[in-house]
mmCIF file of all heavy atoms in Angstrom:
data_model
loop_
_atom_site.group_PDB
_atom_site.id
_atom_site.type_symbol
_atom_site.label_atom_id
_atom_site.label_comp_id
_atom_site.label_asym_id
_atom_site.label_seq_id
_atom_site.Cartn_x
_atom_site.Cartn_y
_atom_site.Cartn_z
ATOM 1 N N LEU A 1 0.808 -1.217 0.000
ATOM 2 C CA LEU A 1 0.000 0.000 0.000
ATOM 3 C C LEU A 1 0.847 1.276 0.000
ATOM 4 O O LEU A 1 0.313 2.372 -0.031
ATOM 5 C CB LEU A 1 -0.938 0.014 1.215
ATOM 6 C CG LEU A 1 -2.083 -0.975 1.152
ATOM 7 C CD1 LEU A 1 -2.898 -0.937 2.434
ATOM 8 C CD2 LEU A 1 -2.965 -0.690 -0.046
ATOM 9 N N ILE A 2 2.153 1.113 0.018
ATOM 10 C CA ILE A 2 3.047 2.275 0.025
ATOM 11 C C ILE A 2 3.451 2.604 -1.401
ATOM 12 O O ILE A 2 3.880 1.726 -2.152
ATOM 13 C CB ILE A 2 4.298 2.006 0.883
ATOM 14 C CG1 ILE A 2 3.902 1.732 2.336
ATOM 15 C CG2 ILE A 2 5.277 3.168 0.792
ATOM 16 C CD1 ILE A 2 5.044 1.266 3.212
ATOM 17 N N ASP A 3 3.314 3.873 -1.758
ATOM 18 C CA ASP A 3 3.835 4.353 -3.039
ATOM 19 C C ASP A 3 5.270 4.789 -2.776
ATOM 20 O O ASP A 3 5.513 5.884 -2.272
ATOM 21 C CB ASP A 3 2.993 5.516 -3.566
ATOM 22 C CG ASP A 3 3.442 5.999 -4.920
ATOM 23 O OD1 ASP A 3 4.597 5.691 -5.330
ATOM 24 O OD2 ASP A 3 2.659 6.704 -5.586
ATOM 25 N N PHE A 4 6.222 3.923 -3.083
ATOM 26 C CA PHE A 4 7.613 4.176 -2.744
ATOM 27 C C PHE A 4 8.215 5.342 -3.523
ATOM 28 O O PHE A 4 9.268 5.847 -3.154
ATOM 29 C CB PHE A 4 8.451 2.901 -2.882
ATOM 30 C CG PHE A 4 8.304 1.997 -1.686
ATOM 31 C CD1 PHE A 4 7.403 0.943 -1.707
ATOM 32 C CD2 PHE A 4 9.033 2.222 -0.535
ATOM 33 C CE1 PHE A 4 7.254 0.127 -0.589
ATOM 34 C CE2 PHE A 4 8.890 1.421 0.583
ATOM 35 C CZ PHE A 4 8.000 0.365 0.554
ATOM 36 N N LYS A 5 7.550 5.818 -4.561
ATOM 37 C CA LYS A 5 8.014 7.023 -5.260
ATOM 38 C C LYS A 5 7.823 8.265 -4.384
ATOM 39 O O LYS A 5 8.450 9.286 -4.612
ATOM 40 C CB LYS A 5 7.279 7.205 -6.593
ATOM 41 C CG LYS A 5 7.628 6.129 -7.623
ATOM 42 C CD LYS A 5 6.862 6.344 -8.908
ATOM 43 C CE LYS A 5 5.478 5.904 -8.649
ATOM 44 N NZ LYS A 5 4.538 5.532 -9.532
ATOM 45 N N LEU A 6 6.937 8.168 -3.383
ATOM 46 C CA LEU A 6 6.660 9.289 -2.484
ATOM 47 C C LEU A 6 7.452 9.214 -1.183
ATOM 48 O O LEU A 6 7.360 10.105 -0.349
ATOM 49 C CB LEU A 6 5.158 9.335 -2.163
ATOM 50 C CG LEU A 6 4.212 9.451 -3.348
ATOM 51 C CD1 LEU A 6 2.763 9.348 -2.887
ATOM 52 C CD2 LEU A 6 4.460 10.739 -4.120
ATOM 53 N N ILE A 7 8.221 8.149 -1.017
ATOM 54 C CA ILE A 7 8.960 7.895 0.222
ATOM 55 C C ILE A 7 10.416 8.343 0.063
ATOM 56 O O ILE A 7 11.056 8.009 -0.936
ATOM 57 C CB ILE A 7 8.896 6.381 0.579
ATOM 58 C CG1 ILE A 7 7.470 5.959 0.891
ATOM 59 C CG2 ILE A 7 9.844 6.007 1.705
ATOM 60 C CD1 ILE A 7 6.924 6.440 2.192
ATOM 61 N N THR A 8 10.911 9.079 1.049
ATOM 62 C CA THR A 8 12.314 9.498 1.028
ATOM 63 C C THR A 8 13.208 8.331 1.463
ATOM 64 O O THR A 8 12.720 7.337 2.040
ATOM 65 C CB THR A 8 12.551 10.679 1.982
ATOM 66 O OG1 THR A 8 12.344 10.224 3.333
ATOM 67 C CG2 THR A 8 11.643 11.853 1.653
ATOM 68 N N ASN A 9 14.498 8.470 1.242
ATOM 69 C CA ASN A 9 15.435 7.442 1.706
ATOM 70 C C ASN A 9 15.388 7.306 3.219
ATOM 71 O O ASN A 9 15.452 6.192 3.744
ATOM 72 C CB ASN A 9 16.861 7.751 1.238
ATOM 73 C CG ASN A 9 17.068 7.413 -0.217
ATOM 74 O OD1 ASN A 9 16.391 6.557 -0.768
ATOM 75 N ND2 ASN A 9 18.010 8.100 -0.846
ATOM 76 N N PHE A 10 15.282 8.428 3.925
ATOM 77 C CA PHE A 10 15.168 8.370 5.387
ATOM 78 C C PHE A 10 13.945 7.548 5.794
ATOM 79 O O PHE A 10 14.020 6.692 6.681
ATOM 80 C CB PHE A 10 15.074 9.780 5.983
ATOM 81 C CG PHE A 10 14.775 9.772 7.456
ATOM 82 C CD1 PHE A 10 15.786 9.571 8.375
ATOM 83 C CD2 PHE A 10 13.466 9.936 7.917
ATOM 84 C CE1 PHE A 10 15.514 9.535 9.738
ATOM 85 C CE2 PHE A 10 13.190 9.905 9.276
ATOM 86 C CZ PHE A 10 14.212 9.707 10.190
ATOM 87 N N GLU A 11 12.796 7.817 5.164
ATOM 88 C CA GLU A 11 11.557 7.100 5.502
ATOM 89 C C GLU A 11 11.664 5.623 5.158
ATOM 90 O O GLU A 11 11.194 4.767 5.924
ATOM 91 C CB GLU A 11 10.370 7.744 4.790
ATOM 92 C CG GLU A 11 10.068 9.129 5.311
ATOM 93 C CD GLU A 11 9.198 9.964 4.386
ATOM 94 O OE1 GLU A 11 9.152 9.690 3.166
ATOM 95 O OE2 GLU A 11 8.560 10.909 4.893
ATOM 96 N N ARG A 12 12.283 5.311 4.037
ATOM 97 C CA ARG A 12 12.491 3.908 3.640
ATOM 98 C C ARG A 12 13.304 3.184 4.720
ATOM 99 O O ARG A 12 12.938 2.087 5.161
ATOM 100 C CB ARG A 12 13.205 3.859 2.294
ATOM 101 C CG ARG A 12 13.428 2.469 1.740
ATOM 102 C CD ARG A 12 14.208 2.511 0.439
ATOM 103 N NE ARG A 12 13.491 3.226 -0.600
ATOM 104 C CZ ARG A 12 12.670 2.661 -1.481
ATOM 105 N NH1 ARG A 12 12.456 1.364 -1.437
ATOM 106 N NH2 ARG A 12 12.058 3.376 -2.386
ATOM 107 N N LYS A 13 14.399 3.794 5.146
ATOM 108 C CA LYS A 13 15.231 3.196 6.194
ATOM 109 C C LYS A 13 14.470 3.091 7.505
ATOM 110 O O LYS A 13 14.634 2.126 8.254
ATOM 111 C CB LYS A 13 16.511 4.011 6.379
ATOM 112 C CG LYS A 13 17.473 3.889 5.227
ATOM 113 C CD LYS A 13 18.671 4.808 5.420
ATOM 114 C CE LYS A 13 19.562 4.782 4.181
ATOM 115 N NZ LYS A 13 20.631 5.787 4.268
ATOM 116 N N TYR A 14 13.641 4.087 7.782
ATOM 117 C CA TYR A 14 12.868 4.096 9.012
ATOM 118 C C TYR A 14 11.868 2.937 9.050
ATOM 119 O O TYR A 14 11.727 2.261 10.069
ATOM 120 C CB TYR A 14 12.152 5.442 9.167
ATOM 121 C CG TYR A 14 11.707 5.717 10.576
ATOM 122 C CD1 TYR A 14 12.585 6.243 11.506
ATOM 123 C CD2 TYR A 14 10.406 5.436 10.981
ATOM 124 C CE1 TYR A 14 12.191 6.495 12.804
ATOM 125 C CE2 TYR A 14 10.005 5.678 12.283
ATOM 126 C CZ TYR A 14 10.905 6.202 13.183
ATOM 127 O OH TYR A 14 10.504 6.430 14.472
ATOM 128 N N ILE A 15 11.190 2.708 7.938
ATOM 129 C CA ILE A 15 10.236 1.593 7.846
ATOM 130 C C ILE A 15 10.969 0.268 7.992
ATOM 131 O O ILE A 15 10.518 -0.630 8.719
ATOM 132 C CB ILE A 15 9.447 1.650 6.518
ATOM 133 C CG1 ILE A 15 8.584 2.920 6.465
ATOM 134 C CG2 ILE A 15 8.595 0.396 6.334
ATOM 135 C CD1 ILE A 15 8.068 3.254 5.073
ATOM 136 N N LYS A 16 12.098 0.137 7.319
ATOM 137 C CA LYS A 16 12.882 -1.099 7.407
ATOM 138 C C LYS A 16 13.345 -1.337 8.849
ATOM 139 O O LYS A 16 13.240 -2.446 9.374
ATOM 140 C CB LYS A 16 14.078 -1.034 6.465
ATOM 141 C CG LYS A 16 14.884 -2.309 6.422
ATOM 142 C CD LYS A 16 15.938 -2.252 5.336
ATOM 143 C CE LYS A 16 16.626 -3.605 5.239
ATOM 144 N NZ LYS A 16 17.150 -3.848 3.911
ATOM 145 N N LYS A 17 13.827 -0.284 9.505
ATOM 146 C CA LYS A 17 14.280 -0.393 10.902
ATOM 147 C C LYS A 17 13.111 -0.766 11.814
ATOM 148 O O LYS A 17 13.262 -1.579 12.734
ATOM 149 C CB LYS A 17 14.898 0.937 11.330
ATOM 150 C CG LYS A 17 15.487 0.937 12.708
ATOM 151 C CD LYS A 17 16.107 2.287 13.018
ATOM 152 C CE LYS A 17 16.545 2.373 14.456
ATOM 153 N NZ LYS A 17 17.047 3.708 14.800
ATOM 154 N N TYR A 18 11.942 -0.191 11.551
ATOM 155 C CA TYR A 18 10.747 -0.516 12.334
ATOM 156 C C TYR A 18 10.379 -1.991 12.164
ATOM 157 O O TYR A 18 10.137 -2.698 13.149
ATOM 158 C CB TYR A 18 9.592 0.389 11.901
ATOM 159 C CG TYR A 18 8.261 0.038 12.522
ATOM 160 C CD1 TYR A 18 8.027 0.218 13.874
ATOM 161 C CD2 TYR A 18 7.229 -0.474 11.740
ATOM 162 C CE1 TYR A 18 6.804 -0.103 14.438
ATOM 163 C CE2 TYR A 18 5.998 -0.795 12.304
ATOM 164 C CZ TYR A 18 5.795 -0.614 13.646
ATOM 165 O OH TYR A 18 4.595 -0.935 14.205
ATOM 166 N N HIS A 19 10.376 -2.483 10.928
ATOM 167 C CA HIS A 19 10.069 -3.900 10.684
ATOM 168 C C HIS A 19 11.133 -4.802 11.319
ATOM 169 O O HIS A 19 10.810 -5.872 11.845
ATOM 170 C CB HIS A 19 9.938 -4.165 9.193
ATOM 171 C CG HIS A 19 8.635 -3.689 8.634
ATOM 172 N ND1 HIS A 19 8.317 -3.798 7.303
ATOM 173 C CD2 HIS A 19 7.562 -3.110 9.210
ATOM 174 C CE1 HIS A 19 7.112 -3.302 7.093
ATOM 175 N NE2 HIS A 19 6.641 -2.874 8.245
ATOM 176 N N GLN A 20 12.388 -4.366 11.288
ATOM 177 C CA GLN A 20 13.462 -5.136 11.921
ATOM 178 C C GLN A 20 13.255 -5.203 13.438
ATOM 179 O O GLN A 20 13.464 -6.247 14.048
ATOM 180 C CB GLN A 20 14.823 -4.506 11.600
ATOM 181 C CG GLN A 20 16.004 -5.317 12.117
ATOM 182 C CD GLN A 20 16.189 -6.609 11.361
ATOM 183 O OE1 GLN A 20 16.290 -6.619 10.148
ATOM 184 N NE2 GLN A 20 16.234 -7.715 12.084
ATOM 185 N N LYS A 21 12.813 -4.096 14.030
ATOM 186 C CA LYS A 21 12.525 -4.069 15.475
ATOM 187 C C LYS A 21 11.414 -5.066 15.820
ATOM 188 O O LYS A 21 11.513 -5.800 16.805
ATOM 189 C CB LYS A 21 12.106 -2.657 15.894
ATOM 190 C CG LYS A 21 11.634 -2.524 17.318
ATOM 191 C CD LYS A 21 11.174 -1.104 17.596
ATOM 192 C CE LYS A 21 9.883 -1.114 18.341
ATOM 193 N NZ LYS A 21 9.330 0.206 18.581
ATOM 194 N N ILE A 22 10.374 -5.111 14.992
ATOM 195 C CA ILE A 22 9.287 -6.063 15.225
ATOM 196 C C ILE A 22 9.825 -7.490 15.135
ATOM 197 O O ILE A 22 9.549 -8.332 15.994
ATOM 198 C CB ILE A 22 8.138 -5.855 14.218
ATOM 199 C CG1 ILE A 22 7.524 -4.467 14.384
ATOM 200 C CG2 ILE A 22 7.076 -6.940 14.373
ATOM 201 C CD1 ILE A 22 6.594 -4.078 13.241
ATOM 202 N N TYR A 23 10.595 -7.751 14.091
ATOM 203 C CA TYR A 23 11.170 -9.089 13.901
ATOM 204 C C TYR A 23 12.052 -9.477 15.090
ATOM 205 O O TYR A 23 11.921 -10.580 15.630
ATOM 206 C CB TYR A 23 11.975 -9.138 12.600
ATOM 207 C CG TYR A 23 12.627 -10.475 12.381
ATOM 208 C CD1 TYR A 23 11.890 -11.548 11.878
ATOM 209 C CD2 TYR A 23 13.969 -10.687 12.690
ATOM 210 C CE1 TYR A 23 12.482 -12.786 11.686
ATOM 211 C CE2 TYR A 23 14.560 -11.917 12.506
ATOM 212 C CZ TYR A 23 13.817 -12.959 12.003
ATOM 213 O OH TYR A 23 14.383 -14.190 11.816
ATOM 214 N N ASN A 24 12.926 -8.573 15.510
ATOM 215 C CA ASN A 24 13.820 -8.878 16.630
ATOM 216 C C ASN A 24 13.045 -9.177 17.908
ATOM 217 O O ASN A 24 13.455 -10.014 18.710
ATOM 218 C CB ASN A 24 14.785 -7.712 16.881
ATOM 219 C CG ASN A 24 15.788 -7.552 15.764
ATOM 220 O OD1 ASN A 24 15.977 -8.440 14.939
ATOM 221 N ND2 ASN A 24 16.421 -6.398 15.715
ATOM 222 N N THR A 25 11.927 -8.506 18.098
ATOM 223 C CA THR A 25 11.105 -8.714 19.287
ATOM 224 C C THR A 25 10.337 -10.033 19.220
ATOM 225 O O THR A 25 10.247 -10.763 20.212
ATOM 226 C CB THR A 25 10.113 -7.547 19.465
ATOM 227 O OG1 THR A 25 10.848 -6.320 19.533
ATOM 228 C CG2 THR A 25 9.276 -7.718 20.720
ATOM 229 N N LEU A 26 9.806 -10.345 18.046
ATOM 230 C CA LEU A 26 8.892 -11.486 17.918
ATOM 231 C C LEU A 26 9.531 -12.773 17.408
ATOM 232 O O LEU A 26 8.921 -13.833 17.525
ATOM 233 C CB LEU A 26 7.723 -11.114 17.000
ATOM 234 C CG LEU A 26 6.842 -9.950 17.455
ATOM 235 C CD1 LEU A 26 5.749 -9.693 16.439
ATOM 236 C CD2 LEU A 26 6.269 -10.201 18.836
ATOM 237 N N HIS A 27 10.719 -12.708 16.841
ATOM 238 C CA HIS A 27 11.261 -13.896 16.175
ATOM 239 C C HIS A 27 11.366 -15.138 17.055
ATOM 240 O O HIS A 27 11.177 -16.239 16.561
ATOM 241 C CB HIS A 27 12.582 -13.595 15.443
ATOM 242 C CG HIS A 27 13.799 -13.715 16.263
ATOM 243 N ND1 HIS A 27 14.285 -12.682 17.029
ATOM 244 C CD2 HIS A 27 14.648 -14.761 16.445
ATOM 245 C CE1 HIS A 27 15.377 -13.087 17.641
ATOM 246 N NE2 HIS A 27 15.610 -14.324 17.307
ATOM 247 N N PRO A 28 11.597 -15.027 18.370
ATOM 248 C CA PRO A 28 11.616 -16.266 19.168
ATOM 249 C C PRO A 28 10.271 -17.005 19.166
ATOM 250 O O PRO A 28 10.220 -18.207 19.404
ATOM 251 C CB PRO A 28 11.957 -15.784 20.579
ATOM 252 C CG PRO A 28 12.624 -14.465 20.407
ATOM 253 C CD PRO A 28 11.977 -13.869 19.193
ATOM 254 N N ARG A 29 9.200 -16.284 18.869
ATOM 255 C CA ARG A 29 7.854 -16.888 18.888
ATOM 256 C C ARG A 29 7.378 -17.309 17.506
ATOM 257 O O ARG A 29 6.279 -17.857 17.383
ATOM 258 C CB ARG A 29 6.860 -15.891 19.472
ATOM 259 C CG ARG A 29 7.188 -15.486 20.883
ATOM 260 C CD ARG A 29 6.168 -14.518 21.412
ATOM 261 N NE ARG A 29 6.562 -14.060 22.709
ATOM 262 C CZ ARG A 29 6.627 -12.802 23.077
ATOM 263 N NH1 ARG A 29 6.293 -11.863 22.231
ATOM 264 N NH2 ARG A 29 7.001 -12.473 24.282
ATOM 265 N N LEU A 30 8.162 -17.010 16.475
ATOM 266 C CA LEU A 30 7.722 -17.286 15.106
ATOM 267 C C LEU A 30 8.256 -18.622 14.612
ATOM 268 O O LEU A 30 9.385 -19.012 14.920
ATOM 269 C CB LEU A 30 8.220 -16.184 14.163
ATOM 270 C CG LEU A 30 7.724 -14.766 14.429
ATOM 271 C CD1 LEU A 30 8.403 -13.793 13.471
ATOM 272 C CD2 LEU A 30 6.219 -14.678 14.307
ATOM 273 N N SER A 31 7.440 -19.308 13.817
ATOM 274 C CA SER A 31 7.904 -20.525 13.158
ATOM 275 C C SER A 31 8.911 -20.128 12.081
ATOM 276 O O SER A 31 8.981 -18.965 11.676
ATOM 277 C CB SER A 31 6.726 -21.265 12.510
ATOM 278 O OG SER A 31 6.235 -20.516 11.405
ATOM 279 N N ILE A 32 9.680 -21.077 11.602
ATOM 280 C CA ILE A 32 10.646 -20.834 10.526
ATOM 281 C C ILE A 32 9.947 -20.232 9.317
ATOM 282 O O ILE A 32 10.470 -19.304 8.691
ATOM 283 C CB ILE A 32 11.365 -22.150 10.136
ATOM 284 C CG1 ILE A 32 12.319 -22.579 11.246
ATOM 285 C CG2 ILE A 32 12.112 -22.011 8.819
ATOM 286 C CD1 ILE A 32 13.528 -21.681 11.398
ATOM 287 N N GLU A 33 8.760 -20.731 8.993
ATOM 288 C CA GLU A 33 8.008 -20.223 7.846
ATOM 289 C C GLU A 33 7.723 -18.724 7.991
ATOM 290 O O GLU A 33 7.933 -17.949 7.059
ATOM 291 C CB GLU A 33 6.688 -20.996 7.715
ATOM 292 C CG GLU A 33 5.798 -20.504 6.613
ATOM 293 C CD GLU A 33 4.441 -21.206 6.595
ATOM 294 O OE1 GLU A 33 4.149 -22.019 7.508
ATOM 295 O OE2 GLU A 33 3.674 -20.927 5.664
ATOM 296 N N TYR A 34 7.274 -18.298 9.160
ATOM 297 C CA TYR A 34 6.963 -16.888 9.377
ATOM 298 C C TYR A 34 8.231 -16.042 9.484
ATOM 299 O O TYR A 34 8.251 -14.887 9.061
ATOM 300 C CB TYR A 34 6.069 -16.695 10.596
ATOM 301 C CG TYR A 34 4.636 -17.076 10.313
ATOM 302 C CD1 TYR A 34 4.041 -18.138 10.959
ATOM 303 C CD2 TYR A 34 3.894 -16.375 9.370
ATOM 304 C CE1 TYR A 34 2.732 -18.503 10.688
ATOM 305 C CE2 TYR A 34 2.589 -16.728 9.088
ATOM 306 C CZ TYR A 34 2.008 -17.791 9.749
ATOM 307 O OH TYR A 34 0.713 -18.148 9.467
ATOM 308 N N LYS A 35 9.289 -16.602 10.053
ATOM 309 C CA LYS A 35 10.561 -15.881 10.092
ATOM 310 C C LYS A 35 11.028 -15.581 8.673
ATOM 311 O O LYS A 35 11.418 -14.453 8.360
ATOM 312 C CB LYS A 35 11.631 -16.693 10.831
ATOM 313 C CG LYS A 35 11.456 -16.734 12.319
ATOM 314 C CD LYS A 35 12.554 -17.581 12.943
ATOM 315 C CE LYS A 35 12.288 -17.761 14.425
ATOM 316 N NZ LYS A 35 13.306 -18.599 15.077
ATOM 317 N N ASN A 36 10.995 -16.604 7.816
ATOM 318 C CA ASN A 36 11.423 -16.426 6.431
ATOM 319 C C ASN A 36 10.529 -15.437 5.699
ATOM 320 O O ASN A 36 11.011 -14.587 4.943
ATOM 321 C CB ASN A 36 11.457 -17.768 5.692
ATOM 322 C CG ASN A 36 12.557 -18.666 6.205
ATOM 323 O OD1 ASN A 36 13.555 -18.199 6.755
ATOM 324 N ND2 ASN A 36 12.391 -19.967 6.035
ATOM 325 N N TYR A 37 9.216 -15.536 5.915
ATOM 326 C CA TYR A 37 8.281 -14.598 5.283
ATOM 327 C C TYR A 37 8.589 -13.167 5.723
ATOM 328 O O TYR A 37 8.647 -12.249 4.901
ATOM 329 C CB TYR A 37 6.835 -14.962 5.637
ATOM 330 C CG TYR A 37 5.852 -13.951 5.085
ATOM 331 C CD1 TYR A 37 5.383 -14.068 3.788
ATOM 332 C CD2 TYR A 37 5.439 -12.863 5.851
ATOM 333 C CE1 TYR A 37 4.510 -13.126 3.255
ATOM 334 C CE2 TYR A 37 4.575 -11.912 5.333
ATOM 335 C CZ TYR A 37 4.108 -12.050 4.038
ATOM 336 O OH TYR A 37 3.267 -11.101 3.511
ATOM 337 N N PHE A 38 8.777 -12.994 7.015
ATOM 338 C CA PHE A 38 9.026 -11.661 7.554
ATOM 339 C C PHE A 38 10.297 -11.077 6.944
ATOM 340 O O PHE A 38 10.308 -9.928 6.481
ATOM 341 C CB PHE A 38 9.148 -11.740 9.082
ATOM 342 C CG PHE A 38 8.749 -10.477 9.774
ATOM 343 C CD1 PHE A 38 7.522 -10.376 10.401
ATOM 344 C CD2 PHE A 38 9.599 -9.389 9.808
ATOM 345 C CE1 PHE A 38 7.141 -9.206 11.044
ATOM 346 C CE2 PHE A 38 9.241 -8.214 10.450
ATOM 347 C CZ PHE A 38 8.000 -8.121 11.068
ATOM 348 N N LEU A 39 11.365 -11.870 6.929
ATOM 349 C CA LEU A 39 12.632 -11.391 6.377
ATOM 350 C C LEU A 39 12.502 -11.067 4.886
ATOM 351 O O LEU A 39 12.943 -10.011 4.432
ATOM 352 C CB LEU A 39 13.728 -12.419 6.609
ATOM 353 C CG LEU A 39 14.177 -12.583 8.061
ATOM 354 C CD1 LEU A 39 15.078 -13.801 8.222
ATOM 355 C CD2 LEU A 39 14.871 -11.328 8.562
#
């Protein structure tokens, strides 16, 4: 749902860092399938 043409490099990195934070927090509870999907 993101139009990446409207996103700055800072915002792109920010979204990636946010998703990485979620992954780092939740990965012990995720199956291998969901870990791979998330990554």
